[in-house]
Amino acid sequence: MPELPEVETIVRGLEPVLKGRRIASIDLRRPDLRRPFPPDLRQRLTGARVTGLSRRAKYGLVHTDRDDTLVFHLGMSGHWRVDPGEIGTHDHVVIETDEGRRLALNDARRFGSVDIVRTEDLDSVEPFARMGPEPLGDAFDGAFLARALEGRSAPIKALLLDQRIVAGLGNIYVCESLHMAGIAPGRAGGHVAGARLDRLAEAVKAVLLAAIDAGGSSLRDYVRPDGELGYFSKDWRVYGREGAACHCGAVIRRRADSGRSTFYCPKCQR
Ligand SMILES: [Zn+2]
């Protein structure tokens, strides 16, 4: 599943193709992905000029000069193909720019989505209305975490995965951040305080930025916007490393909870 760093990488990869260009055509090759495409999607995008791209949580945003924003989510297996030689069975949405460049949204499992929203309404529509701040934004810091986690008895790991507290964090990055910050994943959120929360916010940012710098990382096969295979990170600190040695010398453990695996070091995470 593409995580926040992959989506950021994809948005950055789409930008040189789309920004400033007019959308000459948009071809919807089926009626839906996870849900039906909006009936006015084609009409609102055809002829519009792309003013910029951005990301919110794991959603890519394409803004146009008609004050609309195309919102895409890549689901489990989605990716964009840039200037594909030919359009394939799983290329469900094909955008052509006024320069004749083509982008195909390829999604074999069809868990992705494409919507169009008035740009001014972005913060007030689902799924964005109840989302917490971006983890890479200035609003996400130790003081914010202190307010958000105060009195919470749920495990800190579950709270960091809650999109209402902070947007876009997935299992891999939460495991890695907690290890970097030396915080046990099962510790009650309200029992982590002070400088430890500053360290945690810094660790979240550092782990995400390292992955973005590496060009996005994923455990799944997925194609980067430039048509190359995505970067596969193999140097996680704890994720997927059950039984291996932590840098502190202890053995990394895995715990299964609610269908997810938690990887952690029992010695240096407290
Ligand atoms: Zn350790």
Short mmCIF file of all heavy atoms in Angstrom, two decimals, residues 179 246-250 252 265-269, ligand 1:
data_model
loop_
_atom_site.label_atom_id
_atom_site.label_comp_id
_atom_site.label_asym_id
_atom_site.label_seq_id
_atom_site.Cartn_x
_atom_site.Cartn_y
_atom_site.Cartn_z
N HIS A 179 10.43 3.58 17.67
CA HIS A 179 11.75 3.05 17.98
C HIS A 179 12.78 4.17 18.04
O HIS A 179 13.59 4.26 18.97
CB HIS A 179 12.16 2.00 16.94
CG HIS A 179 13.49 1.38 17.23
ND1 HIS A 179 14.66 1.81 16.65
CD2 HIS A 179 13.85 0.40 18.10
CE1 HIS A 179 15.67 1.10 17.12
NE2 HIS A 179 15.20 0.24 18.01
N CYS A 246 18.70 -5.39 17.47
CA CYS A 246 18.59 -3.92 17.52
C CYS A 246 20.01 -3.36 17.66
O CYS A 246 20.92 -4.07 18.09
CB CYS A 246 17.73 -3.52 18.71
SG CYS A 246 17.58 -1.75 18.96
N HIS A 247 20.18 -2.08 17.37
CA HIS A 247 21.52 -1.49 17.54
C HIS A 247 21.97 -1.52 19.00
O HIS A 247 23.16 -1.43 19.29
CB HIS A 247 21.57 -0.07 16.97
CG HIS A 247 20.61 0.88 17.62
ND1 HIS A 247 20.72 1.28 18.92
CD2 HIS A 247 19.50 1.48 17.14
CE1 HIS A 247 19.73 2.11 19.22
NE2 HIS A 247 18.96 2.23 18.16
N CYS A 248 21.01 -1.68 19.93
CA CYS A 248 21.37 -1.74 21.36
C CYS A 248 21.80 -3.15 21.77
O CYS A 248 22.25 -3.36 22.89
CB CYS A 248 20.18 -1.30 22.22
SG CYS A 248 18.87 -2.54 22.33
N GLY A 249 21.66 -4.12 20.87
CA GLY A 249 22.08 -5.48 21.16
C GLY A 249 20.93 -6.42 21.50
O GLY A 249 21.08 -7.64 21.42
N ALA A 250 19.78 -5.88 21.88
CA ALA A 250 18.63 -6.73 22.20
C ALA A 250 18.00 -7.28 20.92
O ALA A 250 18.31 -6.82 19.82
CB ALA A 250 17.60 -5.92 23.00
N ILE A 252 14.89 -7.84 18.42
CA ILE A 252 13.65 -7.15 18.05
C ILE A 252 12.48 -8.13 18.09
O ILE A 252 12.61 -9.29 17.66
CB ILE A 252 13.81 -6.52 16.65
CG1 ILE A 252 14.82 -5.37 16.73
CG2 ILE A 252 12.46 -6.03 16.11
CD1 ILE A 252 15.32 -4.91 15.39
N CYS A 265 11.70 -2.91 20.03
CA CYS A 265 12.81 -3.41 20.83
C CYS A 265 12.41 -3.33 22.30
O CYS A 265 12.08 -2.25 22.79
CB CYS A 265 14.06 -2.58 20.59
SG CYS A 265 15.40 -3.01 21.73
N PRO A 266 12.43 -4.47 23.01
CA PRO A 266 12.00 -4.46 24.42
C PRO A 266 12.99 -3.76 25.34
O PRO A 266 12.63 -3.46 26.48
CB PRO A 266 11.90 -5.96 24.75
CG PRO A 266 12.85 -6.62 23.81
CD PRO A 266 12.84 -5.80 22.55
N LYS A 267 14.18 -3.47 24.85
CA LYS A 267 15.19 -2.87 25.73
C LYS A 267 15.23 -1.35 25.59
O LYS A 267 15.14 -0.62 26.58
CB LYS A 267 16.57 -3.46 25.42
CG LYS A 267 17.66 -3.00 26.37
CD LYS A 267 18.97 -3.71 26.07
CE LYS A 267 20.12 -3.06 26.82
NZ LYS A 267 21.42 -3.51 26.30
N CYS A 268 15.34 -0.85 24.37
CA CYS A 268 15.54 0.61 24.25
C CYS A 268 14.24 1.37 24.01
O CYS A 268 14.26 2.58 23.86
CB CYS A 268 16.61 0.94 23.21
SG CYS A 268 16.28 0.45 21.54
N GLN A 269 13.11 0.66 23.98
CA GLN A 269 11.82 1.37 23.92
C GLN A 269 11.11 1.20 25.26
O GLN A 269 10.83 0.07 25.67
CB GLN A 269 10.97 0.84 22.77
CG GLN A 269 11.51 1.24 21.39
CD GLN A 269 10.67 0.73 20.25
OE1 GLN A 269 11.05 -0.26 19.60
NE2 GLN A 269 9.55 1.35 20.01
ZN ZN B 1 17.09 -1.66 21.17
#
